[in-house]
Amino acid sequence: MIPAGQLRALAREHVAVAACTIPRLLRHRVWRDADPHEGAGLGVVLVPGFGASDFSLTFATTWLRDRGYVPAGAGVGFNVGCTSELVDRIERRVEEHAEATGGPVVLLGQSRGGGLARLAAVRRPDLVAGLVMLGSPVLDPAGAHPHVMLAAKALARLSSLGVPGLMNADCLDGTCFDDNVKAVTSPLPADLPAVSVYSKFDGIVPWELCLDPSAECVEVHSTHTGMGIDPDVYLALRPRLASWAAQQYDLRPTG
């Protein structure tokens, strides 16, 4: 039997409950006060969480665009595929967006997406101006809520039956898993700024697993599902992203 506290935490993570945060975000000054020059054209590649698509980060995309950033989805579908294959895809997307925007880009990922973004940043730090991880269990990618892990194992079983495009058993307990855990827990380059946002109200990922020693760890008061639509998250990210944009702008040719 699931303890009552865990049941309440899971109930808060329902998408419908998270959506109740949207009106508060839209009324908040962090959403309404938009400086179109703040982002200076800095590219941002957004990586959704497990089982989610680029659409799940629509509010983040809009918020970034309104502030002069150039956001783009990672194009990983519903983020249920093999970890290594998804990182390959994100790496290609980062290369394309860096070329399109004229310089290194920010990687911003939610939940599993943050771990994938970190793996891509480790591979190509030359193309990454900064890394943002929202509720990402980088210290133990398999440490999410048991219900999430059951879903992942179900996908692996479907993959073994021949369903394409899904993570397989090797992604959960094999060479793929071992290699990616080693990579995702390795130190980031000292000159690559990173932020890991965590919440003690997270009902999906134990907040301790988000405390990346290579990142600035920032606490917010949000659910896991609602991190992309919580004003606290944008209040935390705004000055840090603006700082990265200013540094990036100074590296660009005049005009």
Side-chain angles (χ1 to χ4, degrees):
M1 181 179 294
I2 302 176
Q6 289 187 21
L7 284 174
R8 287 193 294 270
L10 281 176
R12 289 198 301 268
E13 297 295 351
H14 195 282
V15 174
V17 176
C20 294
T21 309
I22 293 174
R24 186 164 71 93
L25 172 64
L26 299 182
R27 291 193 302 266
H28 201 284
R29 61 182 175 80
V30 77
W31 181 271
R32 297 170 67 87
D33 297 343
D35 177 358
H37 305 292
E38 190 172 294
L42 178 62
V44 184
V45 174
L46 298 98
V47 190
F50 175 70
S53 68
D54 290 339
F55 180 78
S56 68
L57 292 171
T58 295
F59 282 90
T61 298
T62 301
W63 185 85
L64 289 163
R65 186 178 293 120
D66 288 349
R67 282 151 188 80
Y69 298 91
V70 184
V76 295
F78 283 95
N79 196 349
V80 291
C82 167
T83 300
S84 296
E85 293 176 0
L86 292 179
V87 177
D88 290 342
R89 198 178 304 176
I90 293 168
E91 182 181 359
R92 290 193 295 270
R93 191 73 181 100
V94 167
E95 291 173 346
E96 294 167 356
H97 205 45
E99 182 176 357
T101 56
V105 301
V106 170
L107 271 166
L108 187 157
Q110 183 171 5
S111 193
R112 187 194 188 200
L116 295 174
R118 194 188 194 284
L119 287 168
V122 169
R123 281 193 192 179
R124 296 301 306 271
D126 57 309
L127 295 179
V128 180
L131 171 66
V132 176
M133 299 167 284
L134 305 179
S136 302
V138 293
L139 298 186
D140 180 8
H145 193 279
H147 286 189
V148 176
M149 297 313 299
L150 282 174
K153 291 175 181 177
L155 292 173
R157 286 195 293 271
L158 289 173
S159 178
S160 68
L161 294 173
V163 180
L166 303 178
M167 65 173 63
N168 54 44
D170 195 45
C171 292
L172 299 176
D173 184 17
T175 303
C176 178
F177 177 81
D178 292 340
D179 289 348
N180 284 308
V181 167
K182 182 178 180 181
V184 82
T185 55
S186 65
L188 292 168
D191 59 347
L192 197 164
V195 175
S196 181
V197 177
Y198 69 93
S199 173
K200 294 180 180 178
F201 293 94
D202 193 321
I204 301 297
V205 171
W207 64 271
E208 298 91 340
L209 301 184
C210 303
L211 302 182
D212 188 333
S214 291
E216 178 190 5
C217 298
V218 180
E219 182 180 1
V220 297
H221 298 86
S222 169
T223 62
H224 183 82
T225 308
M227 276 199 181
I229 49 177
D230 194 290
D232 282 357
V233 173
Y234 293 98
L235 284 171
L237 294 185
R238 185 170 192 177
R240 292 164 174 86
L241 289 170
S243 173
W244 299 349
Q247 293 172 24
Q248 179 69 5
Y249 182 80
D250 290 342
L251 296 175
R252 295 179 178 180
T254 301

